[in-house]
């Protein structure tokens, strides 16, 4: 048990030896000490070691940096025909909230060193799992599964100054849950790693995979870091972020900005030559009998619109329905998904900006999400003034 060596003091002990029949075969005295050897440390790139600027630290984290450092004692997938042993050609695939990243292949190596950096957009919620799958690359057939692990990212929220978390994760067989569960659910204010008063740094625990859960499939080392990347920020137009001129008047108008969508499903096939499928998405907004539409973004599964609309509505019980559709020049648009927002969620008349997951016509969750901003306010142009003789005394 390595925990008994965590104080890094020398431990001297006798260990009982057993033969292949589990019979006692003598004793062996050993001395153990856990120490740090700088030669065994693989240095990370500057994007992990350089501190964030004070300006970025004051803003919410919107990007997760992941360094796939190395693997250790990975299983043999390509066995030697004439002798014992063999090797593997490991390749890693990382999954986070619909985003996929793939590493290079390290040929014939059970202890690969990748040191590859990946960046994932994370401007929705940090309460997400990062999943990693290791496979043996095959030039002809399908890759062979070697192991998988997961990290629940909520445990990174309290890291002081959003510093690097470097952890070894044991690999598990398919179907064995390995995502480490975080603590209590983060609050809305902390959900993007904004810089507030934080508790002392907590040491990350290993993933919840026990030795007895299955065969030893080795482990992988990852480095994780939340940062603010200014290039990922999309500013809202002035008409929706400005102060309301007459907050004392009853709300009668809905301001909407459709910012962007991410990881939409491909509705159009790749054609005869088997290319990558895509979609031509646009957004239709419905509020009671009023409706309007965005422009069409051709062949784009991650479209950016930043288009604003305003629809009259004074009903507190109304609901805005936002449809995402795939444009077709010859036929009717094909539904991709939709989401709804009741006006009761906007009763405080404050700006709401967030990501909305898409659902199909049966309210079943589907891939893809939309970032949008809403504000319910008073627009004098939508008010009808009564004649003076009709007004009350």
């Amino acid at each position: 048990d390595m925990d008994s060596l965590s104080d890094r003091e020398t431990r001297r002990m006798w260990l009982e030896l057993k033969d292949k029949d589990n019979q006692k075969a003598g004793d062996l005295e050993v001395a153990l000490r856990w120490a740090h050897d700088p030669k065994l440390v693989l240095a990370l790139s500057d994007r992990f070691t350089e501190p964030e600027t004070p300006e970025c630290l004051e803003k919410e984290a919107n990007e997760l940096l992941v360094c796939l450092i190395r693997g250790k004692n990975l299983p043999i997938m390509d066995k030697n025909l004439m002798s014992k042993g063999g090797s593997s050609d490991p390749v890693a695939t990382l999954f986070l909230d619909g985003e996929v990243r793939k590493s290079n292949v390290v040929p014939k190596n059970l202890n690969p060193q990748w040191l590859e950096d990946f960046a994932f957009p994370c401007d929705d919620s940090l309460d997400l799992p990062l999943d990693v799958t290791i496979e043996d690359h095959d030039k002809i057939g399908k890759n062979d599964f070697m192991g998988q692990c997961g990290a629940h990212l909520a445990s990174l929220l309290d890291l002081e100054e959003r510093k690097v978390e470097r952890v070894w994760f044991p690999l598990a067989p398919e179907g064995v849950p390995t995502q480490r569960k975080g603590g209590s659910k983060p609050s809305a204010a902390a959900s993007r790693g904004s810089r507030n008063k934080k508790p002392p740094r907590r040491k990350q625990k290993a993933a919840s995979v026990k030795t007895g859960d299955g065969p030893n499939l080795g482990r992988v080392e990852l480095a994780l870091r939340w940062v603010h990347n200014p290039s990922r920020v999309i500013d809202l137009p002035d008409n929706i972020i400005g102060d309301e001129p007459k907050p004392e008047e009853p709300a009668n108008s809905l301001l909407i900005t459709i910012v962007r969508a991410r990881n939409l499903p491909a509705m159009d096939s790749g054609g005869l030559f088997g290319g990558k499928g895509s979609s031509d998405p646009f957004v239709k907004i419905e509020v009671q009998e009023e409706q309007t539409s965005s422009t069409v973004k051709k062949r784009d599964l991650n479209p950016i619109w930043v288009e604003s609309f305003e629809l009259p509505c004074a009903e507190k019980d109304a609901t805005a329905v936002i449809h995402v559709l795939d444009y077709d020049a010859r036929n009717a648009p094909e539904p991709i998904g939709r989401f709804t927002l009741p006006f009761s969620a906007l009763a405080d008349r404050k700006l709401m900006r967030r990501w909305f997951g898409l659902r199909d016509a049966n309210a079943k969750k589907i891939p893809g999400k939309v970032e949008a901003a809403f504000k319910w306010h008073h627009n004098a142009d939508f008010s009808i003034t009564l004649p003076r003789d009709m007004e009350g005394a």
Side-chain angles (χ1 to χ4, degrees):
D1 184 2
M2 294 297 291
D3 287 340
S4 64
L5 301 174
S6 59
D7 59 3
R8 296 165 80 160
E9 297 289 337
T10 301
R11 292 287 186 276
R12 186 169 177 170
M13 64 191 74
W14 284 92
L15 300 177
E16 183 180 337
L17 300 178
K18 293 187 178 181
D19 61 19
K20 62 180 181 179
D21 297 321
N22 203 31
Q23 299 298 315
K24 184 174 180 179
D27 297 288
L28 178 68
E29 186 181 17
V30 298
L32 304 174
R33 184 184 182 189
W34 200 6
H36 176 79
D37 185 348
K39 296 178 182 178
L40 299 178
V41 177
L42 297 180
L44 301 176
S45 64
D46 290 345
R47 63 198 308 192
F48 283 87
T49 57
E50 289 293 325
E52 287 189 85
T53 64
E55 293 79 8
C56 286
L57 278 172
E58 292 295 338
K59 296 180 180 178
E60 295 174 338
N62 63 358
E63 182 175 77
L64 176 69
L65 299 178
V66 181
C67 180
L68 175 66
I69 302 174
R70 55 184 160 180
K72 193 176 230 182
N73 300 325
L74 300 185
I76 295 172
M77 305 303 294
D78 305 322
K79 295 183 178 180
N80 295 333
L81 296 177
M82 305 300 294
S83 62
K84 292 183 179 180
S87 190
S88 296
D89 305 313
V91 60
T93 307
L94 295 80
F95 306 88
L96 178 64
D97 197 26
E99 299 280 332
V100 181
R101 306 286 186 270
K102 184 161 289 213
S103 75
N104 292 320
V105 178
V106 181
K108 300 187 180 306
N109 201 322
L110 301 180
N111 297 283
Q113 293 184 6
W114 283 286
L115 279 176
E116 292 185 45
D117 295 348
F118 305 95
F120 291 89
C122 282
D123 40 18
D124 180 5
S125 169
L126 304 186
D127 193 20
L128 297 168
L130 170 70
D131 295 308
V132 182
T133 298
I134 308 297
E135 297 177 312
D136 175 47
H137 177 70
D138 195 320
K139 294 181 180 179
I140 300 176
K142 184 180 178 181
N143 290 350
D144 297 317
F145 176 84
M146 298 176 69
Q148 55 88 22
C149 65
H152 200 277
L153 302 178
S155 60
L156 296 177
L157 291 176
D158 295 330
L159 292 182
E160 184 181 0
E161 304 290 322
R162 304 201 294 240
K163 292 180 180 178
V164 178
E165 193 77 7
R166 189 167 175 166
V167 192
W168 282 96
F169 292 94
L171 296 176
E174 288 183 286
V176 176
T178 65
Q179 293 170 6
R180 186 181 59 263
K181 301 302 180 185
S184 59
K185 191 173 182 180
S187 65
S191 63
R192 295 190 194 173
S194 55
R195 190 186 185 193
N196 296 308
K197 289 184 179 179
K198 300 182 176 76
R201 178 169 173 155
R202 299 175 301 177
K203 194 170 182 73
Q204 182 156 320
K205 296 181 181 180
S208 57
V209 178
K210 298 179 181 179
T211 306
D213 287 336
N216 181 7
L217 302 179
R219 51 186 181 149
V220 294
E221 186 182 16
L222 301 177
L224 308 168
R225 185 186 190 188
W226 291 118
V227 295
H228 175 80
N229 184 345
S231 67
R232 292 193 183 274
V233 176
I234 296 180
D235 295 324
L236 295 176
D238 293 338
N239 69 320
I240 198 168
I241 62 175
D243 294 333
E244 187 175 354
K246 293 186 176 182
E248 71 281 359
E249 297 290 338
N252 64 356
S253 171
L254 180 64
L255 291 172
I256 309 151
T257 297
I258 303 298
V259 183
R260 54 185 161 182
R262 186 173 289 157
N263 301 320
L264 296 178
M267 308 300 290
D268 306 323
S269 67
L272 297 176
F273 299 100
K276 190 175 182 180
S278 190
S279 296
D280 303 318
F282 72 98
V283 175
K284 183 172 76 172
I285 305 165
E286 294 180 345
V287 177
Q288 295 182 323
E289 297 179 356
E290 301 286 339
Q291 62 178 261
T292 186
S293 297
S294 73
T295 58
V296 176
K297 297 298 182 181
K298 289 287 188 179
R299 300 190 62 80
D300 196 342
L301 300 180
N302 298 282
I304 297 177
W305 283 285
V306 196
E307 297 180 19
S308 295
F309 311 91
E310 186 170 10
L311 295 176
C313 185
E315 301 295 329
K316 296 180 180 179
D317 296 331
T319 297
V321 183
I322 290 79
H323 303 266
V324 182
L325 304 110
D326 178 44
Y327 174 78
D328 193 316
R330 298 181 180 180
N331 302 303
E334 185 176 1
I336 295 177
R338 70 175 196 167
F339 67 89
T340 61
L341 180 67
F343 272 49
S344 58
L346 303 170
D348 60 3
R349 295 170 70 163
K350 294 181 180 179
L351 174 67
M352 173 190 285
R353 178 178 182 173
R354 52 165 287 198
W355 287 90
F356 296 85
L358 295 179
R359 297 182 179 271
D360 62 15
N362 298 318
K364 183 180 178 181
K365 189 175 181 180
I366 62 171
K369 57 184 180 178
V370 174
E371 185 183 17
F374 298 87
K375 182 192 278 187
W376 196 22
H377 76 147
H378 177 81
N379 186 338
D381 294 338
F382 292 160
S383 296
I384 299 177
T385 304
L386 294 175
R388 208 173 267 188
D389 59 352
M390 294 290 291
E391 293 179 354

